[in-house]
Amino acid sequence: MSEYTFDWSEFAFGSKGDIKRLHATFIAAPRELSAKRFTDLVKVYLPQGNIVLGLAKEPYVAGFENQPQFKTLQANTVQRIIDAVNASGVKHHIYTLHYFQRELKYIAEKLNFKRVLLVNGSWKQAFHTTEAYYVLANRRIDYEMVSPFASEAEAQAYESKVMTEIAAAHPFTPGTYSEAQMIELAQEVAAYSFDYSFQTGVALGKSAGKKYKLLAWAYNRVVPSQTYAMHHGASREIHFSPPNDLNHYDTVHAEVELLIAAQKQRLEMQGTTLFINLLPCPQCSRMFAETDIEEFVYVQDHSNGYAVRMLELAGKKVRRVT
């Protein structure tokens, strides 16, 4: 391990002087970055002091395992840049700190960074709901949220590439499926979403004996592009809004996407069942009360069961599957 490489396991229960005295800008272990984007960050912050780049020991953002849109930055993407900077004779250097993502809270507690850079999309849910945020706030450590992309063009190219990967990993074909399989489809299609606060998936089926004919599926899509919130900042985080606040939100709900798809395909929804991994929100449940969908099967609760009451009052069947 070089003089510019640290591992949190070596510091957690020992002296942290070597890294504390750097008084560096810390880039908390980010999701994927291009070499160009990393270079841009180096150009801005290296003249102001040393940089410590966090590198997650896990290959994906915690909670989004095996999802290509949430891969973590790997050292080989930026190592050539780091080596070139450190060999150039400039005043400041770039160090790397390897750690498990769950350890960020303790790193923020124990190390004295000048500032912390948080790359959008590098955590699950809004950052201000995490323990690490409260540590930074209580210690009055400045932090900045930055884009993982060097430009709008790079963001759009990344979306196109990754959506192709997701579609290859999760193909959906017409056919009949059991109830358990329909629930699995709803869970699986949720993985198409770039919304790192929560991924919702729905699958619409029509009863065919003991199985269901798959008619349509959808997920909560970030608009106007899937990479919009990562590139420009998630409105929920910009406004410090709570998890269920729909005033500051960057996606079209999966339920709305499903109805848009059904309208475009001119689907007949009488006698259909909607499978969804999350009970619809109050707004979506009121909308569904006006549709011909007859049954709703869900996995997780939401809004104290408001949708259950609303849909049942509208004459719908509602079931939870665990």
Side-chain angles (χ1 to χ4, degrees), residues 156-171:
Q156 291 181 9
Y158 178 86
E159 176 183 350
S160 178
K161 176 181 76 74
V162 171
M163 288 300 288
T164 300
E165 294 178 29
I166 297 173
H170 303 283

Side-chain angles (χ1 to χ4, degrees), residues 205-207 212 268-273 292-295:
K206 188 155 189 174
S207 179
Y212 296 86
E268 175 57 62
M269 291 191 287
Q270 287 184 337
T272 59
T273 298
D292 290 331
I293 299 173
E294 294 184 1
E295 184 179 31

Side-chain angles (χ1 to χ4, degrees), residues 182 202-205 213-218 258 261-262 265 267 274:
M182 290 294 288
V202 296
L204 184 68
K213 179 182 178 182
L214 177 63
L215 300 179
W217 53 269
L258 187 282
Q265 298 172 41
L267 292 178
L274 186 78

Side-chain angles (χ1 to χ4, degrees), residues 9-25:
S9 63
E10 299 174 1
F11 290 97
F13 302 104
S15 171
K16 302 166 184 64
D18 287 347
I19 196 167
K20 272 186 172 182
R21 67 173 61 99
L22 296 175
H23 197 54
T25 292

Side-chain angles (χ1 to χ4, degrees), residues 183 186-187 198-202 244 246 249 253-255 274-286 288 295-312 316-321:
I183 285 289
Q187 300 271 30
F198 194 88
Q199 296 173 301
T200 308
V202 296
N244 291 335
L246 300 181
Y249 200 47
H253 284 196
E255 298 93 325
L274 186 78
F275 296 86
I276 184 167
N277 65 331
L278 178 69
L279 185 67
C281 71
Q283 289 91 328
C284 287
S285 64
R286 291 191 290 270
F288 277 140
E295 184 179 31
F296 296 82
V297 180
Y298 72 98
V299 178
Q300 295 187 47
D301 279 316
H302 189 283
S303 301
N304 295 319
Y306 175 97
V308 175
R309 298 190 297 275
M310 171 58 63
L311 293 170
E312 287 182 342
K316 314 293 186 182
K317 297 177 184 178
V318 184
R319 292 188 291 118
R320 185 183 184 189
V321 175

Side-chain angles (χ1 to χ4, degrees), residues 225-286:
S225 62
Q226 284 265 63
T227 50
Y228 179 84
M230 290 180 183
H231 187 38
H232 298 280
S235 57
R236 181 165 286 172
E237 292 176 325
I238 292 171
H239 296 281
F240 290 84
S241 68
N244 291 335
D245 179 13
L246 300 181
N247 293 313
H248 301 295
Y249 200 47
D250 303 296
T251 77
V252 175
H253 284 196
E255 298 93 325
V256 177
E257 288 283 340
L258 187 282
L259 292 180
I260 292 172
Q263 185 271 331
K264 289 180 177 179
Q265 298 172 41
R266 300 185 183 278
L267 292 178
E268 175 57 62
M269 291 191 287
Q270 287 184 337
T272 59
T273 298
L274 186 78
F275 296 86
I276 184 167
N277 65 331
L278 178 69
L279 185 67
C281 71
Q283 289 91 328
C284 287
S285 64
R286 291 191 290 270

Side-chain angles (χ1 to χ4, degrees), residues 72-135:
T72 55
L73 178 66
Q74 300 302 301
N76 58 5
T77 301
V78 295
Q79 195 62 56
R80 180 183 59 80
I81 300 166
I82 294 172
D83 292 342
V85 167
N86 291 340
S88 67
V90 295
K91 180 179 179 180
H92 303 121
H93 299 93
I94 304 173
Y95 301 78
T96 55
L97 175 62
H98 297 254
Y99 62 91
F100 292 107
Q101 292 167 73
R102 65 176 182 272
E103 296 171 325
L104 178 59
K105 169 189 173 183
Y106 307 106
I107 292 170
E109 283 177 344
K110 302 299 182 182
L111 300 181
N112 297 322
F113 294 117
K114 177 164 45 177
R115 72 173 64 83
V116 174
L117 298 186
L118 301 165
V119 176
N120 298 328
S122 300
W123 48 84
K124 188 173 185 179
Q125 300 180 335
F127 184 75
H128 59 273
T129 66
T130 67
E131 291 181 323
Y133 164 76
Y134 287 98
V135 173

